[in-house]
Amino acid sequence: MSRLVVISNRVAVPKARGAAGAQGGLAGALNSALKQNGGIWFGWSGQETDTFTGNINVQRSEGVTTATIDLEQADVEEYYNGYANSTLWPLFHYRIDLTEYEQEFGRGYERVNERFAQSVLPLIEPEDTVWVHDYHLMPLGERLRSRGVKNRIGFFLHIPWPPTRLFVSLPFHQRLVRAMLHYDLIGFQTTEWLESFLHYCERELGATVDHEDCVVELDGRKTVAKAYPIGVDYDHFVAQGQTIAAKTAYRRLCDSSRTRTAMIGVDRLDYSKGLPERMDGIGRFFDTYPDRVKDLLFIQIAPPSREDIGSYQKIRTMLEQKTGQINGARSDVDLVPIRYVNRGYSMAELFGFYRAAKIGLVTPLRDGMNLVAKEYVAAQDPEDPGVLVLSRFAGAALQMGEALLVNPYSPDDVAHNIRLALDMSLAERKARWEQLIVTVRDDNVLRWTDNFITDLEGTTEPAVG
Ligand code: ADQ
């Protein structure tokens, strides 16, 4: 296996788990791959400088080498808060209403991709396999090719790919996808996002698409595009369950919920996660079944993210209001139905909370995959497993059909399925969980990285030209 060069917006070393949690599920996955293959993880340090220097800071931690650069304040504004998180993120999550199309965002995005290419270039050796991650860096492969890089370069998109009719609202959409077709392999979370991408290439670019072998051909270059559903680091996560921290967290939640069934939600505070809509569903449950208020305790853990962006500030305020309204209307001196917590926890503590909660409520409006759904299943007690209530619009729903699948926009559907989960027999809970755990255990993150890297290394010839 050749050395791996992973490139993503941010790098996250293993010991920074609290922070990694808030950054998303990428961190654990890539650390595992790098430990296995050796190599470097390159990205932005998270620091801002007055003038871009291109200086690279190399560090080694727990068997992983990281190389980072600082960016200018304008880069962070236009590339990170701007194009990546105010243009691409909302558009790719079908939120055209929140999408901002500012020219300087696009220019900042191109500039930073150029800076990434220039800075990472000296670190790439001829035999390395290069793996670029996510929507921040879609044109990076083409930038590297223009500097003569002939290595195998793959790209994985962690978020959905939108339908063509939405995607064409993006100015210069053709330029972006043409640049992507300089990768040898493009991976998506699900076949749904893959099909949207292939549809776009065929309809809008006039590319030749071989649907059987998933090859897109344009201007004499061939790119393979396939679905690789990401998973959790199953063995590592389950081992966390044996720690004192996990057992303490488990006891804390069991003891404090007493006779009530605990139901849990764990999400970055992001509008794609459907948190206000989830509160509407819970409110509807209490309105429809008022005698069940005493039976249910809902815990929502939601660490803030991307706080510099207006839409994220709004979602936080909205969620606080809705939680406050429900608690105001339904609390008693000895009972508060919702506990809303704005902080991160360690993986071990999350394991304990997941296991103590007999319902996992995962209701994003749109999500590339959603690792919380898989972590929840992995943490369950096989003799008394909880029930996963999962949005139909999460990529994970395609693999996890034995969950109770809901429409997150419908408070009635959410309320109805909470009631089904609350009253589900042990036999049915076990039967569903025994199916779900097979996917979660077998389609884990090690298999994901293996599959992607093996396919990338097996692409016939680099997409140079
Ligand atoms: P995210 O949108 O961040 O990831 P998700 O897949 O759910 O979404 O991963 C979140 C991760 O953060 C989970 O591992 C979770 O345990 C952790 N986390 C959440 N809240 C936490 C808290 N309070 N404390 C500690 N950890 C917390 C993006 C895409 C997803 C895709 C992943 C991986 O949006 O669709 O599944 O990348 O590809």
Side-chain angles (χ1 to χ4, degrees):
M1 230 179 226
S2 48
R3 207 179 72 127
L4 190 61
V5 176
V6 169
I7 310 174
S8 63
N9 173 56
R10 291 290 304 276
V11 302
V13 288
K15 66 182 171 202
R17 181 59 231 187
Q23 275 167 26
L26 189 56
L30 295 182
N31 276 302
S32 314
L34 281 162
K35 276 184 197 160
Q36 218 180 4
N37 294 23
I40 296 180
W41 188 350
F42 178 89
W44 169 40
S45 62
Q47 303 296 319
E48 292 175 18
T49 49
D50 291 340
T51 323
F52 179 72
T53 61
N55 290 344
I56 300 172
N57 180 12
V58 178
Q59 284 187 332
R60 211 172 151 71
S61 169
E62 297 193 17
V64 177
T65 302
T66 57
T68 54
I69 50 168
D70 300 342
L71 292 177
E72 284 175 19
Q73 193 186 4
D75 292 340
V76 178
E77 265 317 299
E78 293 163 11
Y79 148 82
Y80 181 70
N81 288 330
Y83 202 75
N85 287 322
S86 299
T87 306
L88 295 177
W89 177 274
L91 180 63
F92 281 40
H93 287 88
Y94 297 46
R95 292 300 299 269
I96 200 163
D97 56 319
L98 297 178
T99 305
E100 294 176 31
Y101 305 93
E102 298 293 337
Q103 272 186 29
E104 70 268 24
F105 291 175
R107 283 198 285 268
Y109 186 72
E110 302 232 334
R111 184 176 65 245
V112 172
N113 271 269
E114 193 68 41
R115 289 183 164 170
F116 264 62
Q118 176 194 333
S119 308
V120 76
L121 192 66
L123 304 177
I124 301 176
E125 293 170 9
E127 297 306 315
D128 289 347
T129 296
V130 181
W131 189 3
V132 179
H133 287 264
D134 232 358
Y135 58 101
H136 315 86
L137 301 173
M138 294 201 280
L140 184 63
E142 191 257 345
R143 297 289 80 219
L144 290 171
R145 293 275 185 244
S146 74
R147 288 175 159 76
V149 173
K150 295 195 166 50
N151 302 51
R152 298 269 191 283
I153 314 180
F155 174 79
F156 187 81
L157 185 68
H158 289 261
I159 65 176
W161 184 272
T164 300
R165 272 198 266 180
L166 284 186
F167 184 63
V168 294
S169 71
L170 187 71
F172 309 112
H173 52 88
Q174 288 210 1
R175 191 154 101 203
L176 190 63
V177 181
R178 281 179 183 276
M180 288 174 75
L181 293 177
H182 287 257
Y183 289 111
D184 297 296
L185 175 64
I186 301 179
F188 296 91
Q189 299 274 23
T190 70
T191 49
E192 189 178 345
W193 319 137
L194 168 67
E195 280 161 16
S196 295
F197 177 77
L198 295 178
H199 179 268
Y200 174 85
C201 290
E202 227 165 10
R203 295 290 175 92
E204 296 291 323
L205 298 185
T208 308
V209 176
D210 175 344
H211 288 267
E212 195 98 321
D213 293 334
C214 296
V215 178
V216 183
E217 189 169 354
L218 188 71
D219 301 335
R221 243 190 335 269
K222 286 184 180 174
T223 298
V224 179
K226 281 171 74 173
Y228 300 88
I230 199 168
V232 294
D233 192 347
Y234 181 80
D235 291 337
H236 177 70
F237 186 57
V238 169
Q240 295 291 307
Q242 297 306 315
T243 59
I244 308 245
K247 290 184 175 159
T248 309
Y250 173 81
R251 276 263 60 88
R252 267 177 79 193
L253 191 48
C254 289
D255 290 350
S256 72
S257 48
R258 285 180 294 205
T259 55
R260 288 188 282 167
T261 297
M263 174 167 81
I264 196 165
V266 176
D267 313 74
R268 272 186 313 103
L269 228 171
D270 190 298
Y271 48 80
S272 67
K273 303 294 181 186
L275 295 167
E277 293 79 1
R278 185 178 304 171
M279 290 302 170
D280 289 342
I282 292 165
R284 185 66 54 89
F285 172 81
F286 291 139
D287 291 346
T288 315
Y289 312 103
D291 57 323
R292 307 299 302 263
V293 177
K294 63 179 187 334
D295 296 338
L296 190 70
L297 165 65
F298 179 53
I299 296 121
Q300 176 63 55
I301 299 176
S305 89
R306 304 176 194 165
E307 291 176 280
D308 294 336
I309 301 174
S311 48
Y312 285 77
Q313 292 152 8
K314 275 193 204 140
I315 198 86
R316 183 168 183 170
T317 310
M318 200 193 277
L319 191 58
E320 279 163 8
Q321 278 170 357
K322 287 197 187 266
T323 310
Q325 275 161 5
I326 298 173
N327 275 343
R330 297 287 171 191
S331 292
D332 210 328
V333 285
D334 55 356
L335 180 145
V336 178
I338 301 176
R339 291 182 196 158
Y340 170 51
V341 188
N342 266 151
R343 53 163 283 194
Y345 288 94
S346 69
M347 262 319 182
E349 288 171 303
L350 282 186
F351 186 104
F353 296 148
Y354 287 137
R355 195 173 177 100
K358 288 294 157 214
I359 305 174
L361 193 55
V362 184
T363 55
L365 303 179
R366 197 67 60 174
D367 215 330
M369 175 55 62
N370 194 294
L371 290 177
V372 169
K374 295 186 173 183
E375 289 164 3
Y376 177 76
V377 168
Q380 295 309 299
D381 173 358
E383 297 310 318
D384 185 16
V387 182
L388 175 65
V389 178
L390 176 63
S391 163
R392 295 183 177 282
F393 306 132
L398 270 74
Q399 288 180 299
M400 303 180 87
E402 297 81 10
L404 292 179
L405 296 183
V406 296
N407 172 359
Y409 293 94
S410 161
D412 284 332
D413 198 28
V414 173
H416 172 67
N417 279 282
I418 292 173
R419 196 191 59 76
L420 290 182
L422 206 51
D423 296 337
M424 192 179 284
S425 69
L426 177 61
E428 186 175 349
R429 280 190 278 134
K430 273 183 158 175
R432 286 177 182 267
W433 180 81
E434 279 162 11
Q435 300 278 317
L436 288 168
I437 194 67
V438 174
T439 310
V440 172
R441 189 189 56 217
D442 295 351
D443 291 337
N444 58 52
V445 76
L446 298 181
R447 182 177 282 190
W448 175 75
T449 48
D450 271 4
N451 286 347
F452 189 91
I453 294 167
T454 306
D455 282 0
L456 177 56
E457 291 181 342
T459 48
T460 45
E461 57 200 56
V464 183

